[in-house]
Amino acid sequence: MRVSSLSPLAAAMALFAVAVFTVAQAPPVQSPHGDPQPPRVFPAPTNLKVLPKTLTGQQVHDIMENWAGSLGVHCDTCHTSDPNNLGPNGRPRLKFDDDSKQEKLTARLMLKMTEDINNNYVSMIPKDKDHDHEMEAGEHHGLPVTCGTCHRGHQHPEEYVIPKEAPRRPEGTPPAMPPMGK
Ligand code: HEC
Ligand code: HEC
């Protein structure tokens, strides 16, 4: 019935899909930092030892973007490049399944540690009396610990220096009191 009136729309959508596909398939642009960019296809992982092996390539990629951002690094901080496999930009592609970088092995330890902290410690903190809402089963008391909790955009977490202007005061002391113990 409305097939003829729908088909221009369908054609437009098909064109749009092709355009999106073409953009998605375009050769990766070199980043301003000069790091080799990963290929824009996300094959299923073959060498997961800590992350669930059922993750799709896209899911692994999303986690990796999160880690890189949390540490303020690029993919090649943890992944080796393969000089025999050049990408479209002429730069070596990264060998994501390769385990020869110490940073990758450390990241595996970090992931296990973070899961341990959340599963065996953060989840044990009793419910906050100020929080009236019912806790769902398995719900964490507060924020789970993530890579970013400690790393905060740094490959090596920065030392926390206690600010001099923020004295610890006894419970109930008005904030306006002069610093104690000075
Ligand atoms: C902080 C270190 C670190 C950074 C940064 C990092 N990765 Fe990873 N990556 C890992 C670790 C560790 C694994 C293996 C996880 C496991 O064993 O469960 C991994 C696994 C992978 C895999 C799966 C490989 C396979 O076949 O098993 C892909 C793909 C991948 N990373 C892509 C990326 C991309 C793309 C980036 C940049 C956006 C990136 N990684 C940044 C540490 C890192
Ligand atoms: C509880 C705090 C904490 C959490 C959570 C944490 N890290 Fe770390 N991470 C550290 C500390 C401390 C070091 C060692 C200090 C250093 O390397 O200067 C470190 C070191 C590393 C290193 C080695 C850096 C290097 O150049 O050798 C990598 C890689 C790393 N962490 C990745 C991760 C990832 C990925 C996560 C999340 C899955 C994570 N970390 C979660 C505290 C943490």
Side-chain angles (χ1 to χ4, degrees):
M1 28 131 230
R2 296 285 153 111
V3 172
S4 56
S5 65
L6 276 177
S7 47
L9 175 64
M13 287 176 76
L15 268 178
F16 178 70
V18 167
V20 169
F21 183 76
T22 309
V23 169
Q25 293 296 304
V29 183
Q30 190 172 314
S31 80
H33 309 283
D35 292 339
Q37 291 288 292
R40 294 283 93 191
V41 278
F42 309 124
T46 56
N47 187 26
L48 298 185
K49 293 182 174 155
V50 184
L51 289 170
K53 293 187 198 302
T54 49
L55 292 181
T56 65
Q58 178 69 57
Q59 287 170 322
V60 170
H61 189 86
D62 291 347
I63 291 167
M64 292 297 142
E65 291 279 5
N66 180 290
W67 288 4
S70 300
L71 273 66
V73 299
H74 292 278
C75 313
D76 60 357
T77 297
C78 297
H79 294 288
T80 44
S81 57
D82 181 357
N84 298 318
N85 182 4
L86 299 185
N89 57 5
R91 294 184 145 262
R93 285 202 164 101
L94 297 181
K95 281 183 74 161
F96 292 117
D97 59 347
D98 182 88
D99 282 349
S100 48
K101 271 210 142 179
Q102 179 59 50
E103 288 83 354
K104 183 179 180 185
L105 306 182
T106 303
R108 281 201 177 111
L109 282 176
M110 288 277 147
L111 174 57
K112 282 195 209 168
M113 175 189 77
T114 305
E115 289 182 340
D116 188 35
I117 291 173
N118 285 322
N119 295 338
N120 298 320
Y121 299 93
V122 175
S123 59
M124 300 300 171
I125 303 172
K127 188 186 166 211
D128 189 338
K129 300 218 175 45
D130 298 339
H131 276 164
D132 285 337
H133 81 281
E134 288 291 316
M135 301 279 279
E136 301 284 331
E139 187 184 349
H140 279 160
H141 165 79
L143 286 177
V145 171
T146 65
C147 312
T149 306
C150 297
H151 283 269
R152 300 197 168 264
H154 301 282
Q155 185 168 346
H156 303 276
E158 292 198 318
E159 182 189 0
Y160 179 68
V161 181
I162 301 165
K164 292 241 182 337
E165 329 69 67
R168 285 149 291 164
R169 54 189 170 81
E171 188 93 3
T173 311
M177 283 245 325
M180 313 259 313
K182 276 201 154 183

